[in-house]
């Protein structure tokens, strides 16, 4: 009986000592700063296409002739906006075969907007 009591007392002492050592370490550690970093838009040069088979058009509407198709992550530069359409220029040859520098209109919903964070 005495051995069990001694073992329990020792275990309790070890647990208390560990807790006492951990408490100052936690208190001494500075709290991580919670800097509120607001998302700011980057230069319009860093946009990409969001969906596969996005149509590049001659006009800012679905009635505009289709120049070709763009695919996910095709890099583009946004030159201007008109309603829900963006006039873009390809920064590299597209996966759809359009040459670098080709310009046309793309529905804004198909563009990953530029982001700096």
């Amino acid at each position: 009986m005495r051995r069990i009591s001694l073992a329990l007392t020792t275990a309790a002492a070890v647990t208390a000592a560990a807790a006492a050592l951990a408490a100052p370490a936690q208190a001494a550690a500075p709290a991580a700063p919670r800097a509120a970093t607001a998302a700011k838009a980057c230069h319009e040069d860093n946009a990409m296409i969001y969906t596969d088979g996005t149509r590049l058009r001659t006009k800012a509407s679905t009635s505009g002739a289709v120049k070709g198709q763009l695919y996910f992550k095709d890099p583009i530069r946004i030159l201007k906006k008109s309603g829900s359409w963006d006039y873009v220029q390809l920064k590299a040859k597209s996966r759809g075969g359009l040459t670098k520098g080709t310009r046309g209109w793309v529905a804004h919903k198909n563009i990953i907007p530029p982001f700096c964070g």
Side-chain angles (χ1 to χ4, degrees):
M1 188 67 104
R2 193 173 216 187
R3 286 184 188 171
I4 295 173
S5 177
L6 181 60
L8 291 175
T9 304
T10 304
V14 169
T15 303
L21 289 175
Q26 290 172 352
R34 289 191 171 196
T37 55
K40 59 180 182 176
C42 283
H43 189 270
E44 300 294 308
D45 199 34
N46 299 329
M48 289 186 286
I49 297 298
Y50 179 67
T51 56
D52 283 338
T54 299
R55 292 177 180 95
L56 184 70
R57 297 184 178 272
T58 57
K59 294 182 184 178
S61 73
T62 55
S63 64
V66 176
K67 289 184 169 185
Q69 292 187 337
L70 303 175
Y71 291 87
F72 182 66
K73 290 192 176 180
D74 276 346
I76 57 172
R77 175 179 294 125
I78 300 172
L79 302 174
K80 64 181 174 179
K81 299 178 182 200
S82 176
S84 62
W85 293 84
D86 294 335
Y87 188 66
V88 302
Q89 179 179 6
L90 290 173
K91 290 175 55 178
K93 182 179 178 180
S94 75
R95 290 182 21 209
L98 295 171
T99 60
K100 176 182 177 179
T102 301
R103 294 180 177 194
W105 292 92
V106 175
H108 183 73
K109 66 181 180 182
N110 296 320
I111 294 177
I112 299 172
F115 174 78
C116 282

